[in-house]
Amino acid sequence: MASRTMIVIAGIAVGVLAMAGAIAYGTANQANYVQEDSVKAAAAEQGILPKTGMLGADLNKEQWHEDPFAEMAAEVRAEYEKNKGQ
């Protein structure tokens, strides 16, 4: 019985070490795939806000971008309002 337990524990330990190795390798290998002309996203340059408490989440400081379809949406709304009464 004790040998089965030891085999299970050893299997779990090997699995954990294999996962840790794979994660470490993947993290270190990401630098190989960053292109020379890559530009950081605005959120990466701005960083993160400090936590507001023990349970508070780290909030991203990225500013929202303008809506690319704002003009089109305004035209559609205006056309809708114009034809609404007909």
Side-chain angles (χ1 to χ4, degrees), residues 23-70:
I23 291 169
Y25 171 77
T27 302
N29 197 32
Q30 284 180 342
N32 295 336
Y33 296 101
V34 176
Q35 297 175 358
E36 295 295 325
D37 59 343
S38 295
V39 178
K40 285 186 178 181
E45 291 178 352
Q46 293 175 3
I48 57 174
L49 294 172
K51 288 187 177 187
T52 56
M54 284 186 62
L55 300 177
D58 288 335
L59 300 175
N60 196 333
K61 289 175 24 178
E62 181 178 10
Q63 302 297 316
W64 292 103
H65 301 288
E66 290 185 26
D67 184 5
F69 301 105

